[in-house]
Amino acid sequence: MDTINTLIDASIRGTLLGITIFFWGCGLAAIWKWLFGVTKKFLHWLCPNCKWFQPKQEVKDTE
């Protein structure tokens, strides 16, 4: 009985740890995405004429 209780306790702890790590990772990814967006907007504001910030031009076919 003690072994079964230990296994159940370990599975519950593992599940809660996995869920916690998943949400922590999602939150960290969201923060990094926001930080990169803010940095890109700041650099665009700082250097508006830089070519690497301009939207890519679509190639138009002339028929």
Side-chain angles (χ1 to χ4, degrees):
M1 209 54 190
D2 208 24
T3 305
I4 294 173
N5 283 339
T6 304
L7 288 173
I8 292 172
D9 186 45
S11 67
I12 291 172
R13 286 180 188 264
T15 302
L16 291 176
L17 182 65
I19 291 170
T20 302
I21 289 173
F22 173 74
F23 282 119
W24 184 81
C26 287
L28 189 63
I31 290 170
W32 277 106
K33 183 179 177 185
W34 172 79
L35 185 63
F36 286 142
V38 168
T39 304
K40 183 179 176 184
K41 287 180 183 180
F42 175 73
L43 289 174
H44 182 62
W45 173 78
L46 192 62
C47 306
N49 294 328
C50 289
K51 290 182 181 179
W52 28 281
F53 287 124
Q54 300 300 324
K56 294 182 180 179
Q57 299 289 331
E58 292 185 15
V59 178
K60 294 182 181 178
D61 292 334
T62 55
E63 293 181 24

Coordinates of all heavy atoms in Angstrom, one line a residue:
M1 N 0.8 -1.2 0.0 CA 0.0 0.0 0.0 C 0.9 1.3 0.0 O 0.5 2.3 -0.6 CB -0.9 0.0 1.3 CG -2.2 0.6 1.2 SD -3.1 0.1 -0.2 CE -4.4 1.2 -0.2
D2 N 2.0 1.2 0.7 CA 2.9 2.3 0.8 C 3.5 2.6 -0.6 O 3.7 3.8 -0.9 CB 3.9 2.1 1.8 CG 4.5 3.3 2.5 OD1 3.7 4.3 2.5 OD2 5.6 3.3 3.0
T3 N 3.8 1.6 -1.3 CA 4.4 1.7 -2.6 C 3.4 2.4 -3.6 O 3.8 3.3 -4.4 CB 4.8 0.4 -3.2 OG1 5.7 -0.3 -2.3 CG2 5.5 0.5 -4.5
I4 N 2.1 2.0 -3.5 CA 1.1 2.5 -4.4 C 0.9 4.0 -4.1 O 0.8 4.8 -5.0 CB -0.2 1.8 -4.3 CG1 0.0 0.3 -4.8 CG2 -1.3 2.5 -5.0 CD1 -1.2 -0.6 -4.5
N5 N 0.9 4.4 -2.8 CA 0.7 5.8 -2.4 C 1.9 6.6 -2.9 O 1.8 7.7 -3.3 CB 0.6 5.9 -0.9 CG -0.8 5.5 -0.4 OD1 -1.7 5.5 -1.2 ND2 -0.9 5.1 0.9
T6 N 3.1 6.0 -2.8 CA 4.3 6.7 -3.3 C 4.2 7.0 -4.8 O 4.5 8.0 -5.3 CB 5.6 5.9 -3.0 OG1 5.6 5.7 -1.6 CG2 6.8 6.7 -3.4
L7 N 3.8 6.0 -5.6 CA 3.7 6.1 -7.0 C 2.6 7.1 -7.4 O 2.8 7.9 -8.3 CB 3.3 4.7 -7.7 CG 4.5 3.7 -7.7 CD1 3.9 2.4 -8.2 CD2 5.6 4.2 -8.5
I8 N 1.5 7.1 -6.7 CA 0.4 8.1 -7.0 C 0.9 9.5 -6.7 O 0.7 10.4 -7.5 CB -0.9 7.7 -6.2 CG1 -1.5 6.4 -6.8 CG2 -1.9 8.9 -6.3 CD1 -2.6 5.9 -5.9
D9 N 1.6 9.6 -5.5 CA 2.1 10.9 -5.1 C 3.1 11.4 -6.2 O 3.1 12.6 -6.6 CB 2.7 10.9 -3.8 CG 3.2 12.2 -3.2 OD1 2.4 13.2 -3.4 OD2 4.3 12.3 -2.7
A10 N 4.0 10.6 -6.6 CA 5.0 11.0 -7.6 C 4.4 11.4 -9.0 O 4.8 12.3 -9.6 CB 6.0 9.8 -7.8
S11 N 3.3 10.6 -9.4 CA 2.6 11.0 -10.6 C 1.9 12.3 -10.5 O 1.9 13.1 -11.5 CB 1.7 9.9 -11.0 OG 0.6 9.8 -10.1
I12 N 1.3 12.6 -9.4 CA 0.6 13.9 -9.2 C 1.7 15.0 -9.2 O 1.5 16.1 -9.9 CB -0.2 13.9 -7.9 CG1 -1.4 12.9 -8.1 CG2 -0.6 15.3 -7.5 CD1 -2.2 12.7 -6.8
R13 N 2.8 14.8 -8.5 CA 3.8 15.9 -8.5 C 4.4 16.1 -9.9 O 4.6 17.2 -10.3 CB 4.9 15.5 -7.5 CG 4.5 15.6 -6.1 CD 5.7 15.2 -5.2 NE 5.3 15.2 -3.8 CZ 5.5 16.2 -2.9 NH1 6.1 17.3 -3.3 NH2 5.1 16.1 -1.7
G14 N 4.6 15.0 -10.6 CA 5.1 15.1 -12.0 C 4.2 15.9 -12.9 O 4.6 16.7 -13.7
T15 N 2.9 15.6 -12.8 CA 1.9 16.2 -13.6 C 1.8 17.7 -13.3 O 1.8 18.6 -14.2 CB 0.5 15.6 -13.4 OG1 0.6 14.2 -13.7 CG2 -0.5 16.3 -14.2
L16 N 1.8 18.1 -12.0 CA 1.8 19.5 -11.6 C 3.0 20.2 -12.1 O 3.0 21.4 -12.5 CB 1.5 19.6 -10.1 CG 0.2 19.2 -9.6 CD1 0.1 19.3 -8.1 CD2 -0.9 20.1 -10.2
L17 N 4.2 19.5 -11.9 CA 5.4 20.1 -12.4 C 5.4 20.4 -13.9 O 5.8 21.4 -14.4 CB 6.6 19.3 -12.0 CG 8.0 19.8 -12.3 CD1 8.3 21.1 -11.6 CD2 9.0 18.7 -12.0
G18 N 4.9 19.4 -14.7 CA 4.8 19.5 -16.1 C 3.9 20.7 -16.5 O 4.3 21.4 -17.4
I19 N 2.8 20.8 -15.9 CA 1.8 21.9 -16.2 C 2.4 23.2 -15.9 O 2.3 24.2 -16.7 CB 0.5 21.6 -15.5 CG1 -0.2 20.4 -16.0 CG2 -0.4 22.9 -15.5 CD1 -1.4 20.0 -15.2
T20 N 3.1 23.3 -14.7 CA 3.7 24.5 -14.3 C 4.8 25.0 -15.3 O 4.9 26.1 -15.7 CB 4.3 24.4 -12.9 OG1 3.3 24.0 -12.0 CG2 4.9 25.7 -12.4
I21 N 5.7 24.0 -15.7 CA 6.8 24.3 -16.6 C 6.2 24.7 -18.0 O 6.7 25.7 -18.6 CB 7.7 23.1 -16.8 CG1 8.5 23.0 -15.5 CG2 8.6 23.3 -18.0 CD1 9.4 21.7 -15.4
F22 N 5.1 24.1 -18.4 CA 4.5 24.5 -19.7 C 4.0 25.9 -19.7 O 4.3 26.7 -20.6 CB 3.3 23.5 -20.0 CG 2.5 23.9 -21.2 CD1 3.0 23.7 -22.5 CD2 1.2 24.5 -21.0 CE1 2.2 24.1 -23.6 CE2 0.5 24.9 -22.1 CZ 1.0 24.7 -23.4
F23 N 3.2 26.3 -18.6 CA 2.7 27.7 -18.6 C 3.8 28.7 -18.4 O 3.8 29.8 -18.9 CB 1.7 27.8 -17.5 CG 0.3 27.3 -17.8 CD1 -0.2 26.2 -17.1 CD2 -0.4 27.8 -18.9 CE1 -1.5 25.7 -17.5 CE2 -1.6 27.3 -19.3 CZ -2.1 26.2 -18.6
W24 N 4.9 28.3 -17.6 CA 6.0 29.2 -17.5 C 6.7 29.4 -18.8 O 7.1 30.5 -19.1 CB 7.0 28.6 -16.4 CG 8.2 29.4 -16.1 CD1 8.2 30.5 -15.3 CD2 9.5 29.3 -16.7 NE1 9.5 31.0 -15.2 CE2 10.3 30.3 -16.1 CE3 10.1 28.4 -17.6 CZ2 11.6 30.5 -16.4 CZ3 11.4 28.6 -17.9 CH2 12.2 29.6 -17.3
G25 N 6.9 28.4 -19.6 CA 7.5 28.5 -20.9 C 6.7 29.3 -21.8 O 7.2 30.2 -22.6
C26 N 5.4 29.2 -21.8 CA 4.5 30.0 -22.7 C 4.6 31.5 -22.3 O 4.6 32.4 -23.1 CB 3.0 29.5 -22.6 SG 2.7 28.0 -23.4
G27 N 4.6 31.7 -21.0 CA 4.7 33.1 -20.5 C 6.1 33.7 -20.9 O 6.2 34.9 -21.3
L28 N 7.1 32.9 -20.8 CA 8.5 33.4 -21.2 C 8.5 33.7 -22.7 O 9.1 34.7 -23.1 CB 9.5 32.4 -20.8 CG 11.0 32.8 -20.9 CD1 11.3 34.0 -20.0 CD2 11.9 31.6 -20.6
A29 N 7.9 32.8 -23.5 CA 7.9 33.1 -24.9 C 7.1 34.3 -25.3 O 7.5 35.1 -26.1 CB 7.3 31.9 -25.7
A30 N 6.0 34.6 -24.6 CA 5.2 35.8 -24.8 C 6.0 37.0 -24.5 O 5.9 38.0 -25.2 CB 3.9 35.7 -24.0
I31 N 6.7 37.0 -23.3 CA 7.5 38.1 -22.9 C 8.6 38.4 -23.9 O 8.8 39.6 -24.3 CB 8.1 37.9 -21.5 CG1 6.9 38.0 -20.5 CG2 9.1 39.0 -21.2 CD1 7.3 37.5 -19.1
W32 N 9.3 37.4 -24.4 CA 10.3 37.6 -25.4 C 9.8 38.1 -26.7 O 10.4 39.0 -27.4 CB 11.1 36.3 -25.7 CG 12.2 36.1 -24.6 CD1 12.1 35.2 -23.6 CD2 13.4 36.8 -24.5 NE1 13.3 35.3 -22.9 CE2 14.1 36.3 -23.4 CE3 14.0 37.8 -25.2 CZ2 15.3 36.7 -23.0 CZ3 15.2 38.3 -24.8 CH2 15.9 37.8 -23.7
K33 N 8.6 37.6 -27.1 CA 8.0 38.1 -28.4 C 7.6 39.6 -28.3 O 7.9 40.4 -29.2 CB 6.8 37.3 -28.7 CG 6.1 37.6 -30.0 CD 4.9 36.8 -30.3 CE 4.2 37.2 -31.5 NZ 3.0 36.5 -31.8
W34 N 7.1 40.0 -27.1 CA 6.7 41.4 -26.9 C 8.0 42.2 -26.9 O 8.0 43.3 -27.5 CB 6.0 41.5 -25.5 CG 5.8 42.9 -25.1 CD1 4.8 43.8 -25.6 CD2 6.6 43.7 -24.2 NE1 5.0 45.0 -25.0 CE2 6.0 44.9 -24.1 CE3 7.7 43.3 -23.4 CZ2 6.5 45.9 -23.3 CZ3 8.2 44.3 -22.6 CH2 7.6 45.6 -22.5
L35 N 9.0 41.7 -26.2 CA 10.3 42.5 -26.1 C 10.9 42.7 -27.5 O 11.4 43.8 -27.8 CB 11.3 41.8 -25.1 CG 12.5 42.5 -24.8 CD1 12.2 43.8 -24.1 CD2 13.5 41.7 -24.0
F36 N 10.9 41.7 -28.3 CA 11.5 41.8 -29.6 C 10.6 42.8 -30.5 O 11.2 43.6 -31.3 CB 11.6 40.5 -30.3 CG 12.7 39.6 -29.8 CD1 12.5 38.3 -29.7 CD2 13.9 40.1 -29.5 CE1 13.5 37.4 -29.2 CE2 15.0 39.4 -29.0 CZ 14.8 38.0 -28.9
G37 N 9.3 42.8 -30.3 CA 8.5 43.7 -31.1 C 8.7 45.2 -30.6 O 8.8 46.0 -31.5
V38 N 8.9 45.4 -29.3 CA 9.1 46.7 -28.8 C 10.5 47.2 -29.3 O 10.7 48.3 -29.8 CB 9.1 46.8 -27.3 CG1 9.6 48.1 -26.8 CG2 7.6 46.6 -26.9
T39 N 11.5 46.3 -29.3 CA 12.8 46.7 -29.8 C 12.8 47.0 -31.3 O 13.5 48.0 -31.7 CB 13.8 45.5 -29.5 OG1 13.8 45.2 -28.1 CG2 15.2 45.9 -29.9
K40 N 12.1 46.2 -32.1 CA 12.0 46.5 -33.5 C 11.3 47.8 -33.8 O 11.8 48.6 -34.6 CB 11.2 45.4 -34.2 CG 11.2 45.5 -35.7 CD 10.4 44.4 -36.3 CE 10.2 44.6 -37.8 NZ 9.4 43.6 -38.4
K41 N 10.3 48.1 -33.0 CA 9.6 49.4 -33.2 C 10.5 50.6 -32.8 O 10.5 51.6 -33.4 CB 8.3 49.5 -32.4 CG 7.2 48.6 -33.0 CD 5.9 48.7 -32.2 CE 4.9 47.8 -32.8 NZ 3.6 47.8 -32.0
F42 N 11.3 50.4 -31.7 CA 12.2 51.5 -31.3 C 13.3 51.7 -32.3 O 13.6 52.8 -32.6 CB 12.8 51.1 -29.9 CG 13.8 52.1 -29.5 CD1 13.4 53.3 -29.0 CD2 15.2 51.8 -29.5 CE1 14.4 54.2 -28.6 CE2 16.1 52.7 -29.1 CZ 15.7 53.9 -28.6
L43 N 13.8 50.6 -32.8 CA 14.9 50.8 -33.8 C 14.3 51.4 -35.1 O 15.0 52.2 -35.8 CB 15.5 49.4 -34.1 CG 16.4 48.9 -33.0 CD1 16.9 47.5 -33.4 CD2 17.6 49.8 -32.8
H44 N 13.1 51.1 -35.5 CA 12.5 51.7 -36.6 C 12.2 53.2 -36.4 O 12.4 54.0 -37.3 CB 11.2 51.0 -37.0 CG 10.5 51.5 -38.2 ND1 11.1 51.5 -39.4 CD2 9.3 52.2 -38.4 CE1 10.3 52.0 -40.3 NE2 9.2 52.5 -39.7
W45 N 11.8 53.5 -35.2 CA 11.6 54.9 -34.9 C 13.0 55.7 -34.8 O 13.1 56.8 -35.3 CB 11.0 55.0 -33.5 CG 10.9 56.4 -33.0 CD1 10.0 57.4 -33.3 CD2 11.7 57.0 -32.0 NE1 10.2 58.5 -32.6 CE2 11.3 58.3 -31.8 CE3 12.8 56.6 -31.3 CZ2 11.9 59.2 -30.9 CZ3 13.5 57.4 -30.4 CH2 13.0 58.7 -30.2
L46 N 14.0 55.0 -34.4 CA 15.3 55.6 -34.3 C 16.0 55.8 -35.7 O 16.6 56.9 -35.9 CB 16.2 54.7 -33.4 CG 17.6 55.3 -33.0 CD1 17.3 56.5 -32.1 CD2 18.3 54.2 -32.2
C47 N 15.8 54.8 -36.6 CA 16.4 54.9 -37.9 C 15.3 54.6 -38.9 O 15.3 53.4 -39.4 CB 17.5 53.9 -38.0 SG 18.8 54.0 -36.8
P48 N 14.5 55.5 -39.3 CA 13.3 55.2 -40.2 C 13.7 54.9 -41.6 O 13.0 54.3 -42.3 CB 12.4 56.4 -40.1 CG 13.3 57.5 -39.6 CD 14.4 56.9 -38.8
N49 N 14.9 55.4 -42.0 CA 15.3 55.2 -43.4 C 16.2 54.0 -43.7 O 16.7 53.8 -44.8 CB 16.0 56.5 -43.9 CG 15.1 57.7 -44.0 OD1 13.9 57.5 -44.2 ND2 15.7 58.8 -43.7
C50 N 16.4 53.2 -42.7 CA 17.2 52.0 -42.9 C 16.5 51.0 -43.8 O 15.3 50.8 -43.6 CB 17.6 51.3 -41.5 SG 18.7 52.3 -40.6
K51 N 17.3 50.4 -44.7 CA 16.7 49.4 -45.6 C 16.2 48.2 -44.9 O 15.2 47.6 -45.4 CB 17.7 49.0 -46.7 CG 18.0 50.2 -47.6 CD 18.9 49.7 -48.7 CE 19.3 50.9 -49.6 NZ 20.2 50.5 -50.7
W52 N 16.8 47.7 -43.9 CA 16.4 46.5 -43.3 C 15.1 46.6 -42.4 O 14.6 45.6 -41.9 CB 17.5 45.8 -42.4 CG 18.5 46.8 -41.9 CD1 19.5 47.4 -42.5 CD2 18.6 47.2 -40.5 NE1 20.3 48.2 -41.6 CE2 19.7 48.1 -40.4 CE3 17.8 47.0 -39.4 CZ2 20.0 48.7 -39.2 CZ3 18.2 47.6 -38.2 CH2 19.3 48.5 -38.1
F53 N 14.6 47.8 -42.3 CA 13.3 47.9 -41.6 C 12.2 48.1 -42.5 O 11.0 48.1 -42.1 CB 13.4 49.1 -40.6 CG 14.2 48.9 -39.4 CD1 15.2 49.7 -39.0 CD2 13.9 47.8 -38.6 CE1 15.9 49.5 -37.9 CE2 14.6 47.5 -37.4 CZ 15.7 48.4 -37.1
Q54 N 12.4 48.4 -43.8 CA 11.4 48.7 -44.7 C 10.7 47.4 -45.1 O 11.3 46.3 -45.2 CB 12.0 49.3 -46.0 CG 12.7 50.6 -45.8 CD 11.8 51.7 -45.2 OE1 10.6 51.7 -45.5 NE2 12.3 52.5 -44.3
P55 N 9.3 47.4 -45.3 CA 8.6 46.2 -45.8 C 9.1 45.8 -47.1 O 9.5 46.6 -48.0 CB 7.2 46.6 -45.8 CG 7.1 48.1 -45.6 CD 8.5 48.6 -45.2
K56 N 9.2 44.5 -47.4 CA 9.7 44.0 -48.6 C 8.7 44.3 -49.8 O 7.5 44.2 -49.6 CB 9.9 42.5 -48.5 CG 10.9 42.1 -47.6 CD 11.1 40.6 -47.5 CE 12.2 40.3 -46.5 NZ 12.5 38.8 -46.4
Q57 N 9.2 44.7 -50.9 CA 8.4 45.0 -52.0 C 8.1 43.8 -52.8 O 8.9 42.9 -53.0 CB 9.2 45.9 -53.0 CG 9.7 47.3 -52.4 CD 8.5 48.2 -52.2 OE1 7.5 48.1 -52.9 NE2 8.6 49.0 -51.2
E58 N 6.8 43.7 -53.2 CA 6.3 42.5 -53.9 C 6.7 42.7 -55.4 O 6.6 43.8 -55.9 CB 4.8 42.3 -53.8 CG 4.4 41.9 -52.4 CD 2.9 41.6 -52.4 OE1 2.3 41.5 -53.4 OE2 2.4 41.5 -51.3
V59 N 7.1 41.7 -56.0 CA 7.5 41.7 -57.5 C 6.2 41.6 -58.3 O 5.4 40.7 -58.1 CB 8.4 40.6 -57.8 CG1 8.8 40.6 -59.3 CG2 9.7 40.6 -57.0
K60 N 5.9 42.6 -59.1 CA 4.7 42.6 -59.9 C 5.1 42.2 -61.3 O 6.0 42.6 -62.0 CB 4.1 44.1 -60.0 CG 3.6 44.5 -58.7 CD 3.0 45.9 -58.8 CE 2.5 46.4 -57.5 NZ 2.0 47.8 -57.5
D61 N 4.3 41.2 -61.8 CA 4.5 40.7 -63.2 C 3.7 41.7 -64.1 O 2.6 42.0 -64.0 CB 3.9 39.3 -63.3 CG 4.8 38.3 -62.5 OD1 5.9 38.6 -62.3 OD2 4.2 37.3 -62.1
T62 N 4.4 42.1 -65.2 CA 3.8 42.9 -66.2 C 3.4 42.0 -67.4 O 4.3 41.3 -67.9 CB 4.7 44.0 -66.7 OG1 5.9 43.5 -67.1 CG2 5.0 45.0 -65.5
E63 N 2.2 42.1 -67.7 CA 1.7 41.2 -68.8 C 1.3 42.0 -70.0 O 0.9 43.1 -70.0 CB 0.5 40.4 -68.4 CG 1.0 39.4 -67.3 CD -0.2 38.5 -66.9 OE1 -1.2 38.4 -67.6 OE2 -0.2 38.0 -65.8

